[in-house]
């Protein structure tokens, strides 16, 4: 029997649904056909204080099925049970075949106006602001995989422009594994887990991947990038993005140019150390997603400049001998500088992962006037595949009407019906020409911002299944990339190849890969061969002459430290006033301080000791791990905490009396090994000595006071790591 308030929380008054947090934003409230509704974003979320059916009928019970008596059989007429279970059965849509694991955010793009010479796209105009939605992702893993695996990252941006939606769908690596889309199923089948055992997950360190890329050497360039530090980015906020393909831009006069798109992060391009990436995958599989959301919530809004490399639109579609239609090639920035054309700032997190991040649908064919495609054979296949995939994954042809996918420009497409049609169309003549609807919709001309394909002349030719001769150069650009790496980066590449190939069971796959590496560089091949215990083969082709490109290295400059996380290790005997000062200064400079102490709760603020404001403890010795932090500060040499027992925390082992807590030593030694900046005061020299860390090593600073220690740490942090701690191999 229904009562006035039968909810299990009876006693409190019904309340309306919780509103989004200040850092969150949902899709803009436009209609399925792109009309602004003026409704507040909360109006498209659940509403009302009472539980209802999907059609709005209020419910008095959702805990018990409708039965024939309290012990009787369940009745098939229980429409609420059927609706609730049916919807649950279909809550999950098929995950993306690739890019299944993603994180996303809302933001705004502001044009500089500098692209006017090459493109008439309105959103690139000076000071024009355009809402954007960006999704970052890994490629190979499932939705349940870890963020920090060695993999290519997706970097897809949806621009809700006044001329229609433009999707720039790229990666954090500027080249691709293959030159023709017909090979895409092959590379993904090779990279995915073995079909017999469904392992390994989200990794390329297995036989099928290396079998394919060693046989299909056009993959060499992308593979080398993936084995570099670019394959394990520090965060999405510190990751470059590339459009990969060459696009054609058209200006107001109808002149065309060829371009490549680049996203340049304001924080610089930084990566994890391989051991860090492995540890993080276990301690925090959501590391990149958390980092992005936490930064936005804290107001450290990530920013990227959009830039273009511009090339003449010649019939050959080449530049300085580089085939611009080959997606396995780059044009070094020294030959064609990246010209900034706008700034993107991510300002809001999603309010619902499924509705936004999971249901967003990108497509390289979502173009606007002033931006057109080229004849890149990989891009041609993507123009078909993305649309086809969205129809399958999102349940029909009307995926564009899902709120996160809705255009912010008027839509009158004459497309009707189909699954999940949520627009209620009017008129009787969804065809043209027609007279019954007054001729509407009408065709637009170039003078009314119509999208008109560039009339590119085609040569007389024959239908063939071939590639141009220029596509057969598979080694000159990988050699260029290798020669452009700094000594520490080269060592990381060697280590990555050695690790991955040692995971392969087939010796023939290892040997064939060494033959590929020999064609890039004999030193690279010899170092990897040594790690595999195999002889290094000679090059099978003449080594290419290549001029290094400094722009390809992640080292050599300084960058802002916004959004970095600094751990401060302290206990009751620490200089807590100093901890308070550096904690506040870290906050004031746009970073996040986390106090690490023996137990949770607070430090200080007791009448019989430190009388300052209590310091909140964000991590304990048991819960902290070095991979969470970009740098560490130590106030003294804290002794073993009460829980420093191997039985309670295996990291503690067996503490030695009078020695620092073993877990603090682990924090220190791991961070030192990963090249992270370290600072200390108040007797921290004893801690360094106990950890056998040289206090004069690069990036290690002992100071007389907390502020000086922090300043020294920040000076190193602008370079991301103390790179001099990674000497090259002899």
């Amino acid at each position: 029997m229904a009562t006035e308030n039968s909810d299990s929380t009876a006693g409190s008054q019904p309340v309306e649904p919780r509103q989004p947090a200040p850092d969150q934003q949902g899709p803009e409230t436009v209609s399925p056909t792109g009309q602004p509704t003026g409704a507040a974003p909360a109006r498209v979320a659940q509403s009302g204080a009472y539980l209802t059916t999907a059609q709005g009928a209020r419910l008095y019970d959702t805990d018990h099925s409708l039965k024939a008596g309290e012990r009787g059989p369940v009745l098939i007429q229980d429409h609420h049970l059927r609706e609730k279970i049916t919807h649950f059965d279909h809550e999950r849509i098929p995950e993306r075949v690739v890019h299944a694991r993603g994180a996303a955010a809302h933001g705004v793009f502001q044009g500089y106006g500098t692209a006017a010479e090459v493109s008439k796209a309105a959103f690139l105009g000076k000071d024009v602001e355009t809402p954007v939605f960006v999704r970052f992702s890994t490629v190979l893993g499932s939705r349940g995989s870890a963020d920090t695996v060695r993999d290519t990252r997706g970097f897809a941006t949806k621009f809700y422009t006044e001329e229609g939606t433009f999707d720039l769908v790229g990666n954090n690596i500027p080249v691709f594994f293959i030159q023709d889309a017909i090979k895409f199923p092959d590379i993904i089948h090779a990279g995915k887990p073995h079909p017999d055992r469904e392992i390994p997950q989200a990794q390329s360190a297995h036989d099928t991947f290396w079998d394919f890329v060693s046989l299909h050497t056009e993959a060499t360039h992308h593979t080398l990038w993936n084995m570099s530090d670019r394959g394990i980015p520090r965060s999405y906020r510190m990751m470059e993005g590339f459009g990969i393909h060459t696009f054609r831009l058209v200006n107001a006069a109808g002149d065309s140019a060829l371009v490549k798109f680049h996203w340049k992060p304001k924080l610089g391009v930084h990566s994890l150390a391989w051991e860090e990436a492995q540890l993080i995958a276990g301690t925090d599989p959501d590391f990149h997603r958390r980092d992005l959301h936490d930064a936005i919530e804290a107001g450290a809004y990530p920013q990227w400049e959009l830039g273009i490399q511009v090339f003449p639109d010649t019939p050959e579609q080449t530049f300085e001998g580089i085939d611009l239609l080959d997606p396995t090639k780059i044009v070094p920035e020294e030959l064609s500088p990246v010209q900034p054309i706008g700034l993107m700032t991510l300002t809001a997190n999603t309010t619902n992962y499924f509705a936004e991040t999971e249901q967003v649908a990108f497509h390289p064919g979502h173009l606007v006037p002033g931006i057109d495609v080229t004849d890149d054979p990989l891009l041609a296949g993507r123009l078909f595949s993305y649309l086809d995939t969205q129809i399958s994954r999102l349940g029909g042809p009307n995926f564009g009407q899902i709120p996160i996918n809705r255009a912010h420009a008027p839509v009158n497409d004459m497309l009707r019906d189909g699954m999940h049609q949520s627009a209620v169309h009017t008129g009787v003549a969804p065809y043209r020409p027609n007279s019954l609807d007054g001729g509407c919709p009408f065709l637009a001309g170039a003078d009314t911002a119509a999208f008109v394909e560039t009339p590119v002349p085609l040569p007389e030719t024959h239908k063939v299944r071939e590639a141009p001769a220029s596509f057969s150069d598979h080694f000159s650009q990988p050699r260029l990339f290798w020669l452009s790496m700094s000594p520490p980066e080269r060592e990381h590449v060697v280590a990555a190849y050695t690790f991955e190939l040692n995971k392969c069971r087939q010796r023939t796959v290892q040997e064939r890969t060494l033959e590929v590496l020999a064609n890039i560089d004999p030193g690279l091949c010899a170092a990897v061969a040594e790690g595999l215990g195999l002889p290094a083969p000679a090059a099978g082709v003449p080594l290419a002459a290549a001029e290094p490109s400094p722009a390809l290295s992640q080292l050599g400059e300084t960058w802002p430290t916004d959004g970095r996380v600094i751990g401060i290790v302290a206990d009751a005997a620490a200089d807590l006033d100093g901890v308070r000062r550096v904690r506040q200064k870290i906050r004031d400079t746009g970073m996040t301080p986390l106090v690490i102490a023996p137990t949770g709760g607070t430090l200080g603020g007791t009448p019989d000791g430190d009388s300052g404001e209590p310091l909140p403890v964000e991590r304990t010795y048991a819960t902290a791990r070095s991979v969470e932090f970009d740098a560490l500060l130590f106030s003294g040499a804290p002794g073993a905490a009460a829980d420093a027992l191997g039985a309670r925390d295996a990291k503690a082992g067996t503490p030695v009396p009078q020695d620092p807590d073993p877990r603090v030593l682990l924090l220190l030694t791991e961070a030192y090994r990963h090249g992270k900046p370290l600072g200390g005061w108040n007797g921290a020299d004893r801690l360094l000595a106990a950890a056998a860390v040289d206090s004069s090593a690069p990036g290690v600073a002992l100071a007389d006071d907390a502020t000086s220690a922090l300043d020294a740490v920040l000076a190193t942090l602008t370079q991301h790591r103390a790179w001099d701690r990674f000497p090259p191999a002899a």
Side-chain angles (χ1 to χ4, degrees), residues 402-477:
I402 295 171
I404 193 63
N405 296 322
R406 291 179 179 177
H408 293 190
V411 174
N412 193 346
D413 52 21
M414 291 198 304
L415 305 177
R416 291 295 187 269
D417 307 337
M419 292 182 69
H420 307 147
Q421 174 62 255
S422 56
V424 183
H425 293 298
T426 59
V428 297
Y431 55 83
R432 68 169 322 280
N434 74 71
S435 63
L436 300 184
D437 281 345
C440 183
F442 299 90
L443 295 179
D447 58 338
T448 50
F451 180 87
V452 181
E453 289 82 2
T454 309
V456 180
L458 298 176
E460 292 187 10
T461 186
H462 301 86
K463 292 190 292 184
V464 295
R465 289 190 182 273
E466 296 177 3
S470 57
F471 276 40
S472 62
D473 173 15
H474 300 164
F475 300 113
S476 64
Q477 290 221 331

Side-chain angles (χ1 to χ4, degrees), residues 227 493-503 527-532:
M227 293 303 105
V493 170
V494 170
Y497 272 103
T498 305
F499 176 91
E500 298 253 331
L501 292 171
N502 268 316
K503 293 285 188 177
V528 176
E530 181 181 19
L532 298 177

